[in-house]
Amino acid sequence: MISTSYHHGHKGPALVGSTIGRWFADVCEQYGDRDALISLPQGIRWSYHDLWRRTEELSLALLALGVKQGEHVGIWSTNNAEWVLVQLATARIGAVLVNVNPAWKRDELADGLARSRVSTLFLIPEFRSSEYETDLVALCPELAGAGETCGAPTLPDLRRAIVYDPADAGRTAPRPGDFLSWPDVLEQASAVDERQLLERERELGFDDAINIQFTSGTTGHPKSVVLTHHGLLNNALLAGDLLGVGPEDRVCVPVPFYHCFGMVLANLLALARGAALVIPSEHFDATATLRTIQDERCTVLHGVPTMFIEQLDSPGFEDYDLSSLRTGIMAGAPCPPELVRRVIDEMTCADIRIGYGMTEVSPLTHLTREGDSFDRRTRTVGTTLPHLEVKVVDVDTGRLGPRGEPGEICFRGYQVMREYLDDPEATDEAVDRDGWLRSGDLGFMEADGVLSITGRLKNMIVRGGENLYPAEIESFLFEHPAIADVAVFGLPDDRLGEDVAAWVRLHPGESLTVDDLKGWARERIAHHKVPRWIWFVDEFPETVTGKIKKFAVREIAARWLREGRAEHATAETTAEEDA
């Protein structure tokens, strides 16, 4: 009998039926005096008692502001202690936390806030070249000086903006917008009785929606993934169980909080198991991460492959004492065996694990196990997490195939998203009537249920662990008045796994340089979406129905890149290559 490509993760602890807030209350009671949150850039070192008290204060303040159960509260910020407080407080009052990418530019922010129906937005004033407060004022001037509530034609759901500066809570420098401040909000906590918070918490169920994460859309716009207490909490607990994380551990978090990797597999994983959560920097910094591991004796380190590469290649790397490291997850992009070996040997992280998942599945679905051979750790993404079903189906027929045969990977279980917000068509396309979520990834299942990833059904680009969809980038590039047509795709990159490339066809009579187009794009989209390689072409290889043959474009561009060909191509060149 041929074994089919179906596996159920059946070994592991039982699922818990709790909201995040109730579970966190029990953890704080049990581990009150232990370190809970350490933010080195801010000089913060809170115990679980401290974190509970501050979370309760913010929860009461949000109730005083009038934030209702199910209301959408966004946060647009880098990594800091306040981010964690907003994450926990929204969970306690039943508000839906909306994670806003700190790299977003103004147009992306407008689209994301509108699509996710954010009513309250926490934001920092600026970071590096991004001026968050200025952008929000320009986008929604009605909010400036509005105080606690405002209705704006551009963003009718947005009612409040709360600005906080992680470096200086008492900032007094001139500011472009007269928004609420963090102290303004906390002052209102005394207006609400604690019994009102307890009553709100009693109304919550673990199947309630609690988080919205954005995933790049195949139709050119990000989709809002709706996730629940049940999916997020259990995914964090089960991942922590497989890693053996407990109250003696110290989890170093260089990955961004806005992403599922940071919010669930770092923040929630640590705080749900009584471990210490350690923030080395507000944005990834290899040197700060190494110094934090050494000084704080961190035992767990997560990251995408590029983060590990940058740490290993940092000046003076050999001078850091990383002997405290025990385990962690490397995920988000293909993990080369040479890199895994270096992390084991040079970073002394003997139990580094390879993980796989996606935002729509809360997010981790597979993880290599302690004791797995080096070959299994680097050739596969490991075994299915407990309580999750996985199958591999034929791409054309959707039928279950035999083990060892490639196909599309699908998931079913407690951690599958509830929906794409306000997009039933996309939801139905992603999740079938039997509850199976199509991943869009290609792979095969081995005899013992271990999964290997071979490629992607969709044209998604995985750049340094960030999932990018060409259609979204193309939609922005199309706005340039000189561009008649564009094809965006990914090309291999030794450091990032993949990076963004584009073929561009201009309108007759128009001219444009690579540098000019990149400069124009940087003002409108996040830096990681700006194509690294651009070729101007006169025509595209097309199917008989007139669709651009992306696979052919990618193959030709990869050859040009290997040959060092200039970022320009003539119609004759593309036609010759396609032939």
Side-chain angles (χ1 to χ4, degrees):
M1 180 179 178
I2 299 176
S3 180
T4 57
S5 295
Y6 168 86
H7 186 73
H8 174 226
H10 58 282
K11 294 181 180 179
L15 297 175
V16 302
S18 173
T19 63
I20 292 171
R22 292 185 198 120
W23 186 269
F24 181 60
D26 290 341
V27 171
C28 290
E29 185 175 352
Q30 187 172 0
Y31 302 111
D33 293 329
R34 286 186 174 274
D35 284 342
L37 178 62
I38 299 164
S39 178
L40 295 176
Q42 298 173 276
I44 285 173
R45 195 173 293 269
W46 293 339
S47 69
Y48 272 94
H49 280 320
D50 295 330
L51 186 55
W52 175 259
R53 178 176 56 81
R54 292 173 185 275
T55 299
E56 180 141 301
E57 182 181 31
L58 182 58
S59 301
L60 292 168
L62 290 176
L63 290 181
L65 281 179
V67 177
K68 297 179 173 56
Q69 181 178 342
E71 195 167 323
H72 297 183
V73 176
I75 182 163
W76 191 25
S77 168
T78 49
N79 291 7
N80 47 62
E82 290 85 351
W83 208 109
V84 178
L85 289 175
V86 173
Q87 178 182 353
L88 295 171
T90 50
R92 285 199 67 187
I93 69 168
V96 178
L97 179 67
V98 180
N99 301 13
V100 181
N101 189 333
W104 272 1
K105 298 299 184 183
R106 191 178 299 169
D107 291 348
E108 295 166 300
L109 177 70
D111 183 70
L113 293 182
R115 286 178 178 275
S116 59
R117 296 193 264 113
V118 167
S119 66
T120 300
L121 180 66
F122 286 87
L123 68 153
I124 58 176
E126 72 270 323
F127 180 73
R128 294 181 177 171
S129 62
S130 297
E131 298 181 352
Y132 301 137
E133 194 173 3
T134 300
D135 281 347
L136 186 60
V137 171
L139 183 65
C140 194
E142 297 86 353
L143 276 176
E148 295 185 12
T149 183
C150 169
T154 51
L155 291 168
D157 293 300
L158 187 60
R159 312 296 294 174
R160 322 171 185 87
I162 301 161
V163 179
Y164 70 94
D165 189 340
D168 180 11
R171 182 180 178 197
T172 57
R175 296 162 65 177
D178 183 21
F179 297 126
L180 287 169
S181 69
W182 190 271
D184 291 335
V185 172
L186 294 186
E187 283 178 4
Q188 303 191 45
S190 59
V192 176
D193 191 284
E194 185 180 344
R195 288 174 296 183
Q196 291 177 253
L197 176 57
L198 295 175
E199 181 59 34
R200 172 69 67 85
E201 288 187 289
R202 280 194 290 268
E203 297 172 356
L204 308 181
F206 60 75
D207 284 325
D208 291 348
I210 200 62
N211 183 223
I212 287 176
Q213 306 235 355
F214 293 101
T215 183
S216 294
T218 55
T219 57
H221 295 282
K223 290 182 285 190
S224 306
V225 181
V226 180
L227 303 170
T228 67
H229 286 274
H230 196 57
L232 297 177
L233 178 59
N234 280 289
N235 199 246
L237 287 170
L238 292 170
D241 179 74
L242 291 172
L243 294 173
V245 173
E248 301 297 330
D249 281 298
R250 302 173 76 77
V251 183
C252 182
V253 191
V255 291
F257 289 174
Y258 82 89
H259 195 278
C260 253
F261 200 175
M263 194 196 96
V264 182
L265 299 179
N267 294 6
L268 194 53
L269 182 151
L271 299 176
R273 299 185 69 86
L277 179 68
V278 187
I279 304 172
S281 53
E282 48 177 329
H283 186 271
F284 175 65
D285 181 300
T287 301
T289 302
L290 292 170
R291 185 168 54 246
T292 297
I293 296 168
Q294 172 184 269
D295 295 349
E296 294 295 328
R297 306 304 294 159
C298 292
T299 58
V300 182
L301 175 66
H302 295 335
V304 299
T306 52
M307 291 180 175
F308 286 99
I309 291 170
E310 289 191 30
Q311 290 171 73
L312 287 160
D313 293 343
S314 291
F317 167 79
E318 62 279 356
D319 296 329
Y320 290 97
D321 178 5
L322 309 179
S323 59
S324 60
L325 278 181
R326 178 179 62 81
T327 190
I329 299 173
M330 185 188 300
C335 305
E338 306 80 27
L339 174 60
V340 177
R341 175 58 67 191
R342 290 190 68 192
V343 172
I344 293 172
D345 294 342
E346 299 175 40
M347 297 188 75
T348 69
C349 191
D351 192 31
I352 188 69
R353 310 287 186 87
I354 305 303
Y356 165 74
M358 57 191 299
T359 303
E360 287 89 337
V361 201
S362 302
L364 194 66
T365 65
H366 288 75
L367 191 68
T368 55
R369 303 296 202 259
E370 184 178 12
D372 279 351
S373 67
F374 184 77
D375 174 70
R376 174 166 286 191
R377 279 204 238 184
T378 55
R379 186 177 50 79
T380 78
V381 293
T383 309
T384 312
L385 258 65
H387 309 291
L388 181 69
E389 297 175 274
V390 60
K391 67 177 181 178
V392 180
V393 302
D394 182 272
V395 172
D396 295 323
T397 66
R399 293 177 181 170
L400 190 64
R403 296 199 178 189
E405 184 172 300
E408 184 179 8
I409 302 162
C410 303
F411 305 109
R412 182 169 67 181
Y414 76 92
Q415 63 198 80
V416 171
M417 69 171 185
R418 170 176 288 184
E419 63 177 336
Y420 292 122
L421 184 69
D422 297 334
D423 198 341
E425 184 176 341
T427 303
D428 290 343
E429 183 179 345
V431 184
D432 70 19
R433 62 183 181 182
D434 296 318
W436 286 100
L437 172 75
R438 299 180 57 190
S439 71
D441 286 337
L442 302 174
F444 63 91
M445 187 178 294
E446 300 187 359
D448 57 0
V450 172
L451 192 68
S452 291
I453 309 298
T454 59
R456 286 182 298 280
L457 184 63
K458 304 172 184 176
N459 288 318
M460 183 173 66
I461 302 166
V462 181
R463 181 191 183 278
E466 187 79 17
N467 292 345
L468 307 176
Y469 281 92
E472 181 188 0
I473 302 172
E474 288 167 351
S475 69
F476 280 107
L477 295 180
F478 269 125
E479 293 177 8
H480 194 291
I483 292 178
D485 206 353
V486 62
V488 171
F489 51 96
L491 287 177
D493 178 79
D494 290 339
R495 188 174 70 88
L496 296 168
E498 284 185 302
D499 211 342
V500 183
W503 275 19
V504 176
R505 182 171 62 84
L506 301 178
H507 289 292
E510 295 285 357
S511 63
L512 191 63
T513 68
V514 169
D515 288 342
D516 285 345
L517 180 53
K518 287 184 177 181
W520 179 88
R522 288 190 189 102
E523 295 178 357
R524 290 163 174 80
I525 56 177
H527 66 89
H528 57 283
K529 298 177 185 176
V530 176
R532 176 179 174 184
W533 302 286
I534 297 174
W535 285 271
F536 292 103
V537 300
D538 296 320
E539 62 181 28
F540 296 91
E542 297 180 345
T543 66
V544 292
T545 58
K547 293 183 179 179
I548 296 174
K549 293 196 288 188
K550 283 283 186 77
F551 70 91
V553 170
R554 190 182 297 110
E555 289 174 2
I556 296 168
R559 190 180 313 131
W560 287 349
L561 197 61
R562 291 193 298 270
E563 296 170 353
R565 190 172 300 193
E567 296 183 5
H568 181 80
T570 64
E572 291 76 19
T573 305
T574 56
E576 177 185 345
E577 293 283 359
D578 189 35

